[in-house]
Amino acid sequence: MLSLRRRPLQLLRGRPGRGSSFHSSAIVWASRKVLQKFKLADIGEGITECEVIKWNVKAQSPVQAFDQLCEVQSDKASVEITSPFDGVVKELLVQEGEVAKVGQGLCLIEVDEESLDDSSKRFTEPVSPPPHQVQEAVQSKAFETPPPSSEVSQEAPQPRERRPHPLDPSHPPDAATILNSFSKNVLAKPAVRHTARELGIDLNSLAPGSGRDGRIEKEDLERYLADERKDSAGSPSSSAQQAKESGDVVVELGRTRYGMWKAMEKSLEIPHFGYSTTLDITSLHSLLPRLNACIPPHYLPIPPPSPYTSVNPSSIHPAPSPPLVPPSHQFTKLTYLPLFLKTLSKAMSEWPLFRASISPRPLSAPQAKPTLTIRPSADISIALSTPTGLYTPTLQRVDAHTVFSLAAQLKHLSHLGRQTPCGLTPAEMPKRGGTITVSNVGAIGAGDFAAPVLVPGGGVAIVAIGRAKWVWDVDRGDGQGERRLKVGVSWSADHRVVEGAELAAFVECWRSWVEVPERLIGEAI
Amino acid sequence: MLRSFSPLPRARLRLPSVRNFSISPSRQELSPQHAIYVSNSVNPYFNLSLEDWLFRHKNHQEPLLLLYRNDPCVVIGRNQNPWKEVNMTALKARSIPFIRRRSGGGTVYHDLGNTNYSIHLSRLTFDRHATAELVRRAISTLGVDVRVNDRNDICVGNEKVSGSAYKIVNQRAYHHGTMLISTKLDTLGALLRTDTETMVTKGVDSVRSPVCNLRQFSSTIDHETFVDAVVSEFRREYRVDEPIRYVNDGEGAEETDYIRNGMAELPSWDWAFGQTPEFTYSIRPRFEWGEVTIEIRSKHGIILETRATSGHSGAGLEELGRRLEGHKYGFVEEAIVKDVVDRDSRCRDVWEALAGAMETYNYQP
């Protein structure tokens, strides 16, 4: 609801009585009134709805940030929900005793537009965080964040894994650096926090502020900036001099690395979320030697002697001759990667979402609503690390290839990549790209989990496969435990397109193929 | 993130082998900043208020453990219907109170054979399964093989030994639960078995399960060994090295404003009955003169509407129904309807059936 000014000619922007004056800082604060729909956020743990037990506010009553709005109940948990903004509760959308679904609006609050963050326009209040480190970053920003799982995932451990406790000195630093600016009871409005974050100001160093209850206000930020500018004005060139003196070398980025730079900058547009799990590949492990024993002769560099001595299949009619396979495609040993790709293509066949890519916006209408293009086959890109740089060639129509054929293609790609200059051509790296990217970092190091990054054109999801290792699985063997071969897989997906639950379900679908490879026999044509 | 240390215990408290009474002089200010509390009070109103006070006043990021036992009482969840969950007749017969707690979930019976644990954590690090696992590990060190079921309850085989509930606020969350060590299970059964099947209520219904005591599986388990085991496991899991802070009656804790207000609120009608969600109760009593169908609708403990219909003339019954509107369910005095029931014996019969159906036991401490 916009509050209309008396003089329609002077429609927007500017507090009453201020006309069009500006702050001395670069930030201009508008103060339109906006109606925010405050939604019930995802609680996690499979809960999809809560009952509203009690409203602590009435319609048309003012409310301050951190005031208790209502209490809801979900199975065994009673949850208090506090207001994210200062404003006026205009309407209660769910009455006491009624059930609100996750994502449904709880109430409408009218706020000054300035007290909103860009991202909080889609605000939802997390009711109870999933055991997810991403949620930590969200929670610590209290009331200004977008839906819980859409922030850049710093680390994405599997849900039941022991995370280091916040009090643990070896707590991962990335979470701490985010938490640092926002934890420890530093009070500040969402817009203030946002500005501080953009300017790189640590709110802890400003606390307590000049606002109510020691809240940090924007004047505090401005004062801090003004002070800083005074300090730094004295020494503009000292930093440059220092670099020269200490023997540092300045290097320009090569073409491929600069390409990676640009692609990764573009990847910042993509809201990532992560999901990791381990796959049990003991069945695949026992399958490998048997598959290696029956690699079709045309893929082998030295074909084995023909098993037929007296009779042969071509006696009455020429048997179909195997395709000609160039030497660069030939291999002697199968690895896990073609099997992972094949099973992934099976899962992709079941899930059209993961065969989708974001359609390029037409030049004529750049602001048109985005669409997804779903292709009938599974195209998977592979991250290839070569002496000349990082490339992502694409394997087309993985669902139409056999495991051996995929192994041959991979062999060929790595052969091309090893050339200097790089032998990869647009034929291997079509503009269309794959819809899922696979990065086999386990080949490089004994990694367990990673946080891969999507690039535009790289599909809707990327998975990093770690190194397989033998572990003792206590869940198997009727409680006695069993030695199993497990590999960590870390997914990152584009949250504009993929939901957390969808990715999790897709990964479980993939798991059902990887952990039971015999299914491939049943589905073989 | 730095851990904040609570002040070192004073010299006179450094005798860990002495339990169950504090050596300090009787008036020592209770601080909410310790990490491990064991309450020696068995007053359920005090213990629940103490739990809430610790929940609201401890540093948000730091873990806290509270263990306590209560005198016999029935504890219902925040959003439950006491008439649906608790057998009022049995309560009255035993003079046992029911108390509505602040966390969600179902109805449980507490007595001195039941120990309650309460784990408070920062909302960020709160994980129901992890806290349930902590308690499970503690019990397995006592030699009983327990498991956590899919509702995060602790069970031995198919029988529950513990029920859980949670409360989540802005920055903090807790998981608390019961642990049946040597509870009188027959009393438990009698109190929680109701005959109000025809009551249809909003709010949370308890999920009934068969229960058993831990003492059935090990003769060495009792309140003290359970407390020790949980405290050790808590210390190990959250790397807390503080001594236990015992809380006793008569030390002045109950004079802290917040706790005192809590102890006054819990037994009040507004909280105990007035927080009941909407429900409808239908009964069909039979009299010699015929059958009557009565439907009472109530919300927040107040009767909204009573409809009594029978094959015979209903004028008196309608008036009876109207008289009840706006009164507290279960607390209607006969004086309200005296003239109606005196006039018509049928109305008296119906009134008596109603009063019986609405039987309530209101314990005042």
Side-chain angles (χ1 to χ4, degrees), chain A residues 82-321:
Chain A
T82 53
S83 172
F85 330 102
D86 287 351
V88 176
V89 175
K90 279 297 183 185
E91 194 188 329
L92 304 180
L93 299 172
V94 182
Q95 298 309 316
E96 281 179 18
E98 284 180 357
V99 170
K101 290 209 186 305
V102 167
Q104 193 181 332
L106 282 175
C107 63
L108 296 174
I109 307 182
E110 186 189 67
V111 290
D112 277 347
E113 194 180 36
E114 74 164 54
S115 62
L116 291 177
D117 200 38
D118 288 10
S119 44
S120 71
K121 295 238 191 321
R122 295 169 277 131
F123 181 87
T124 50
E125 151 81 3
V127 175
S128 139
H132 206 212
Q133 212 153 334
V134 168
Q135 190 67 33
E136 275 187 25
V138 172
Q139 264 316 107
S140 61
K141 287 175 207 163
F143 303 114
E144 62 161 322
T145 54
S149 37
S150 70
E151 279 291 315
V152 175
S153 74
Q154 295 294 316
E155 212 176 272
Q158 66 183 116
R160 294 275 181 253
E161 196 188 49
R162 285 275 313 268
R163 298 176 317 274
H165 190 265
L167 301 181
D168 185 341
S170 58
H171 189 69
D174 13 7
T177 42
I178 299 182
L179 288 174
N180 231 1
S181 327
F182 302 98
S183 65
K184 298 261 175 149
N185 307 317
V186 169
L187 292 180
K189 283 207 190 114
V192 174
R193 286 182 192 273
H194 176 69
T195 316
R197 180 162 45 109
E198 296 214 306
L199 300 172
I201 300 175
D202 183 358
L203 285 180
N204 277 329
S205 57
L206 256 60
S210 54
R212 187 169 77 97
D213 291 353
R215 254 167 246 219
I216 299 179
E217 305 279 0
K218 43 187 177 354
E219 293 86 39
D220 300 324
L221 291 180
E222 287 159 33
R223 217 177 301 130
Y224 180 83
L225 284 176
D227 289 335
E228 260 211 343
R229 262 187 232 123
K230 262 190 264 159
D231 290 332
S232 63
S235 54
S237 57
S238 54
S239 47
Q241 276 188 317
Q242 275 172 345
K244 288 259 174 62
E245 279 162 16
S246 57
D248 293 345
V249 178
V250 174
V251 168
E252 273 203 10
L253 294 177
R255 191 157 65 98
T256 323
R257 200 172 289 268
Y258 185 50
M260 182 171 77
W261 170 290
K262 286 188 287 191
M264 290 306 155
E265 278 195 328
K266 289 215 79 184
S267 84
L268 288 174
E269 288 171 358
I270 303 178
H272 287 68
F273 71 95
Y275 180 81
S276 314
T277 185
T278 41
L279 298 174
D280 187 334
I281 56 173
T282 319
S283 306
L284 283 182
H285 173 77
S286 51
L287 202 57
L288 266 190
R290 282 183 253 170
L291 284 178
N292 277 330
C294 48
I295 298 177
H298 52 275
Y299 289 117
L300 293 167
I302 304 165
S306 166
Y308 305 113
T309 47
S310 38
V311 292
N312 74 66
S314 302
S315 50
I316 64 156
H317 182 84
S321 53

Side-chain angles (χ1 to χ4, degrees), chain A residues 22-100:
Chain A
F22 290 88
H23 273 259
S24 52
S25 75
I27 310 151
V28 177
W29 306 91
S31 78
R32 284 187 310 162
K33 290 222 182 291
V34 175
L35 206 57
Q36 270 295 104
K37 187 189 257 189
F38 179 35
K39 296 184 197 161
L40 180 64
D42 188 8
I43 300 167
E45 298 182 272
I47 293 166
T48 52
E49 54 189 32
C50 295
E51 182 183 335
V52 175
I53 304 179
K54 189 165 170 235
W55 279 102
N56 295 82
V57 295
K58 291 203 197 22
Q60 311 303 331
S61 58
V63 72
Q64 302 236 316
F66 310 107
D67 280 354
Q68 189 168 338
L69 271 184
C70 63
E71 203 177 333
V72 303
Q73 165 108 27
S74 80
D75 73 320
K76 300 199 279 194
S78 166
V79 189
E80 284 176 14
I81 299 185
T82 53
S83 172
F85 330 102
D86 287 351
V88 176
V89 175
K90 279 297 183 185
E91 194 188 329
L92 304 180
L93 299 172
V94 182
Q95 298 309 316
E96 281 179 18
E98 284 180 357
V99 170

Side-chain angles (χ1 to χ4, degrees), chain B residues 38-278:
Chain B
V38 171
S39 172
N40 290 326
S41 165
V42 291
N43 178 343
Y45 301 100
F46 172 73
N47 285 327
L48 285 175
S49 306
L50 172 68
E51 183 181 40
D52 197 41
W53 178 73
L54 290 174
F55 182 58
R56 307 275 181 182
H57 292 84
K58 167 82 174 161
N59 281 338
H60 293 152
Q61 324 287 359
E62 292 170 9
L64 181 148
L65 172 69
L66 168 66
L67 293 147
Y68 58 95
R69 284 195 289 185
N70 288 329
D71 269 335
C73 61
V74 174
V75 178
I76 67 171
R78 167 73 178 86
N79 197 30
Q80 289 202 297
N81 181 335
W83 293 286
K84 179 97 179 144
E85 301 292 335
V86 188
N87 188 321
M88 294 289 183
T89 320
L91 273 189
K92 194 182 266 182
R94 291 168 174 76
S95 301
I96 289 181
F98 87 85
I99 305 173
R100 182 187 298 273
R101 61 175 184 267
R102 297 180 197 279
S103 61
T107 302
V108 288
Y109 170 65
H110 292 185
D111 67 11
L112 292 175
N114 166 72
T115 303
N116 303 294
Y117 60 88
S118 180
I119 304 174
H120 302 196
L121 296 171
S122 148
R123 188 167 162 177
L124 301 175
T125 51
F126 182 67
D127 176 356
R128 298 180 186 196
H129 191 78
T131 44
E133 278 291 310
L134 190 157
V135 179
R136 185 197 62 78
R137 283 197 302 269
I139 299 175
S140 53
T141 64
L142 297 174
V144 182
D145 206 3
V146 288
R147 65 182 185 92
V148 176
N149 76 0
D150 51 3
R151 298 190 82 238
N152 286 315
D153 294 324
I154 299 174
C155 312
V156 176
N158 280 333
E159 293 173 314
K160 271 168 73 164
V161 288
S162 163
S164 304
Y166 315 91
K167 184 150 180 79
I168 302 171
V169 301
N170 193 5
Q171 306 264 35
R172 202 104 166 113
Y174 70 71
H175 168 183
H176 68 178
T178 53
M179 187 56 63
L180 294 172
I181 298 177
S182 54
T183 300
K184 291 195 165 45
L185 298 179
D186 47 357
T187 314
L188 185 156
L191 292 172
L192 301 186
R193 225 173 288 125
T194 54
D195 53 1
T196 43
E197 282 86 26
T198 52
M199 188 181 283
V200 176
T201 181
K202 287 195 179 172
V204 172
D205 280 332
S206 293
V207 175
R208 287 182 160 72
S209 319
V211 293
C212 62
N213 277 315
L214 281 179
R215 183 65 72 75
Q216 287 165 234
F217 304 96
S218 160
S219 52
T220 54
I221 290 193
D222 62 6
H223 170 72
E224 270 86 32
T225 50
F226 176 72
V227 165
D228 280 343
V230 176
V231 167
S232 304
E233 196 56 43
F234 179 83
R235 283 205 171 112
R236 206 174 311 147
E237 171 81 10
Y238 295 109
R239 296 179 220 186
V240 167
D241 215 3
E242 295 178 22
I244 299 177
R245 177 48 164 109
Y246 291 97
V247 183
N248 304 297
D249 279 325
E251 276 186 340
E254 57 271 20
E255 267 146 58
T256 310
D257 278 341
Y258 193 95
I259 297 182
R260 193 187 37 215
N261 294 338
M263 288 172 70
E265 187 186 24
L266 288 175
S268 70
W269 183 92
D270 275 324
W271 175 259
F273 296 99
Q275 293 293 310
T276 308
E278 192 169 342

